[in-house]
Amino acid sequence: MLSRLCLAVALLVLPLSAMAQVERPLVVGMALEPPHLDPTAGAAAAIDEVLYDNVFQGLTQIAADGTVQPQLATGWEVADDGMSWTFTLREGVTFHDGKPFDASVAKFALDRFRAAGAENAQPQLFAAIDSVEAVDPTTLKITLSRPDANLPYSLGWGDAVMVHPDSADGNKQAPVGTGPFMFEDWRRGDRVILTRYDGYWGEPARVPRVEFAFVSDPGTALASLLAGDVNAYPNFPAPEQVPVLEANESFTVEIGTTEGEVILAINSARAPFDKLEVRQAISAAINRDVLIAGAMYGAGTPIGSHMPPHNPAYIDLTGENGYDPDRARALLADAGVTNLSLTITLPPPAYARRSGELIAAQLRQVGIDVSLKPVEWAEWLSSAFKGKDYDLTIVAHTEPNDIGIYGRPDYYFHVANARLDEVLAKLGTEADPDARIGLLQEAQRLIADDAVNAFLFVLPKIGVWDARLTGFWHDSPIQANDVTHVEWKE
């Protein structure tokens, strides 16, 4: 009797965390379905949002606070001249099919990403790599053609996660990674299902199963939460419904920051958008405050160049091409452009569709005739992003610290600025933090001066989930819905 009484008392005084964790599946809602499931072969943010850290891992990881952390590499050293990096790899790691991860696999993956004709959407991440050597199973040496102070950060992107030679070609449909969750099923048009990988090298996932359910309609998103069909939206697509959820004690609502710069991209390879005055006129016709209020219900931060305000290098350039419809009309006249008709191509996210309606009305007020062309995500990727067949389009660039895309002449909005190329090239080799900030600020000014795009606002991270859940990210320093530390509490 005494032993039973002692046991009962002991159970009563156990820490709450030890008593409260519950083994229960998790359903996570997302607005967009990924076009495929290989983060190293596509630009769609939805791919990383399902798979980054959950299924696939990199040599390094961009953590919840935006810092670079070891992952499949336990550490690294850079040579004094900055021309080579040596990574020490973690032992005992296996892919979900049981195949071992080692330096030869890492070499294969990096060589694959940077090969001629590779599908990787971020080739600039690997541009400085000259060669990769598997010194021994746990030592990887990367030799560069020029110093690259950002290499550990670049290797933490979803585009650089590790893939095995035996499964790499099948990852689009049946991904095989090294993370705490393994792929179970993809019910197209509905959800992707992951289950906990029992052979994981690190701390096990805290939920046995996670389903990423695709809910494109903002109204349906709210209904799915209230009905319990979806437990969490790390990026809730209906900002107008936030007050309803904040008033409901059954839910946690957290408003954080993202790297999602929403831009009105301008195809400057197509006349008359190749004229600076026309690009400036488009920007001057747009009232960002009205846009944020109408499209985002006030949840968004205006920007004037390609940098989120939380970045230490950010400078406020919202006045550079600020709202001035009279100036917009004058600029069009100076450019000799009359009766301008254009089309805005709109991918599915609500921020794009809603913003498109408002921007069209504002452009019409300065004499520009506008047609709206809604497209599905796959069509946007093939026609606008890859095919560069558009006049204007609205999209959020959610990759972290991605100002380097403005140094890519083949990129879909066609930048051509020699001084900007010089600045970005220096940024790639500069290690001094203060000097880097100076270069980043000059790059922002050059992009704004050239009115490369019309810069609109930064997406907020509106996280909503069942109040019994913990472990979701507050901010989004990278496009990811990392659920590796999410757990149920009772």
Side-chain angles (χ1 to χ4, degrees):
M1 177 68 70
L2 182 60
S3 62
R4 291 181 181 177
L5 178 61
C6 291
L7 176 59
V9 171
L11 288 171
L12 288 173
V13 300
L14 276 173
L16 180 61
S17 60
M19 297 274 297
Q21 186 174 341
V22 178
E23 281 279 298
R24 180 184 299 166
L26 172 69
V27 181
V28 176
M30 289 175 51
L32 294 177
E33 181 173 11
H36 61 75
L37 303 179
D38 184 354
T40 71
I47 305 172
D48 281 2
E49 289 173 355
V50 171
L51 299 157
Y52 184 85
D53 271 5
N54 299 320
V55 172
F56 287 107
Q57 299 176 305
L59 297 178
T60 64
Q61 173 203 33
I62 299 176
D65 62 357
T67 60
V68 182
Q69 299 294 332
Q71 196 164 68
L72 296 182
T74 60
W76 50 87
E77 296 180 355
V78 58
D80 291 342
D81 61 2
M83 295 297 289
S84 66
W85 294 72
T86 302
F87 291 81
T88 301
L89 306 187
R90 195 176 298 277
E91 297 185 64
V93 176
T94 62
F95 285 82
H96 300 147
D97 58 3
K99 302 288 177 57
F101 168 77
D102 60 18
S104 66
V105 172
K107 171 179 167 54
F108 162 81
L110 291 173
D111 286 346
R112 185 173 186 263
F113 304 154
R114 62 194 188 87
E119 290 187 275
N120 198 285
Q122 304 295 339
Q124 79 282 358
L125 299 176
F126 317 104
I129 297 178
D130 182 66
S131 64
V132 182
E133 178 188 359
V135 178
D136 59 47
T138 61
T139 306
L140 185 77
K141 183 177 181 180
I142 299 177
T143 301
L144 307 180
S145 58
R146 56 172 171 79
D148 182 3
N150 271 336
L151 186 62
Y153 191 90
S154 297
L155 294 177
W157 285 42
D159 307 83
V161 295
M162 294 290 100
V163 297
H164 195 280
D166 293 346
S167 52
D169 289 343
N171 280 336
K172 285 185 177 181
Q173 309 303 325
V176 179
T178 61
F181 290 99
M182 60 188 298
F183 172 76
E184 179 179 299
D185 191 18
W186 182 8
R187 300 174 187 169
R188 284 169 175 75
D190 182 24
R191 65 194 60 212
V192 168
I193 302 170
L194 311 178
T195 55
R196 184 163 51 206
Y197 175 47
D198 292 335
Y200 181 55
W201 58 266
E203 181 182 346
R206 300 178 186 183
V207 294
R209 172 187 175 100
V210 57
E211 300 181 8
F212 288 92
F214 310 120
V215 184
S216 59
D217 179 69
T220 304
L222 176 64
S224 68
L225 277 172
L226 295 176
D229 296 329
V230 172
N231 307 127
Y233 282 89
N235 295 282
F236 188 61
E240 69 275 16
Q241 301 293 352
V242 167
V244 174
L245 293 164
E246 287 179 325
N248 191 328
E249 293 183 355
S250 296
F251 299 102
T252 296
V253 179
E254 293 188 4
I255 310 297
T257 62
T258 77
E259 291 283 332
E261 299 96 349
V262 179
I263 65 172
L264 178 68
I266 303 172
N267 189 349
S268 59
R270 178 177 292 181
F273 312 115
D274 54 344
K275 294 183 178 182
L276 173 61
E277 294 87 354
V278 174
R279 299 195 300 273
Q280 290 174 326
I282 290 170
S283 290
I286 297 172
N287 187 324
R288 295 186 187 94
D289 292 336
V290 168
L291 197 64
I292 292 169
M296 298 299 297
Y297 295 84
T301 306
I303 52 172
S305 191
H306 202 94
M307 186 73 73
H310 60 260
N311 192 297
Y314 171 80
I315 48 177
D316 185 356
L317 294 170
T318 51
E320 181 75 11
N321 292 296
Y323 177 58
D324 188 340
D326 290 336
R327 179 171 180 262
R329 296 184 190 97
L331 285 164
L332 290 172
D334 291 344
V337 174
T338 58
N339 300 318
L340 175 58
S341 295
L342 58 82
T343 299
I344 304 178
T345 301
L346 300 174
Y351 71 80
R353 299 280 172 90
R354 292 169 174 170
S355 295
E357 295 281 355
L358 294 167
I359 289 173
Q362 293 176 351
L363 292 178
R364 290 178 187 128
Q365 289 175 0
V366 301
I368 300 174
D369 181 55
V370 179
S371 297
L372 298 177
K373 181 184 178 183
V375 298
E376 292 307 309
W377 190 242
E379 183 180 350
W380 186 90
L381 287 169
S382 63
S383 62
F385 184 72
K386 294 181 180 178
K388 307 177 182 66
D389 182 15
Y390 73 99
D391 294 332
L392 309 179
T393 188
I394 300 172
V395 71
H397 280 257
T398 56
E399 296 86 355
N401 293 314
D402 61 348
I403 201 167
I405 59 179
Y406 289 80
R408 294 168 60 180
D410 60 339
Y411 208 57
Y412 76 106
F413 43 64
H414 301 283
V415 184
N417 186 312
R419 175 56 189 164
L420 178 59
D421 291 343
E422 292 176 6
V423 170
L424 294 175
K426 289 181 181 178
L427 186 63
T429 60
E430 180 58 65
D432 179 73
D434 292 336
R436 288 184 59 81
I437 285 177
L439 291 168
L440 285 167
Q441 291 180 341
E442 183 177 358
Q444 291 173 69
R445 290 190 183 93
L446 289 166
I447 291 167
D449 290 346
D450 206 18
V452 177
N453 298 307
F455 298 94
L456 307 178
F457 55 88
V458 171
L459 288 175
K461 183 183 184 300
I462 304 174
V464 182
W465 46 82
D466 188 302
R468 294 168 294 176
L469 286 167
T470 64
F472 284 102
W473 286 12
H474 181 272
D475 301 312
S476 286
I478 193 169
Q479 50 194 32
N481 292 327
D482 184 343
V483 295
T484 59
H485 293 91
V486 174
E487 60 186 330
W488 289 96
K489 297 286 188 178
E490 291 287 10

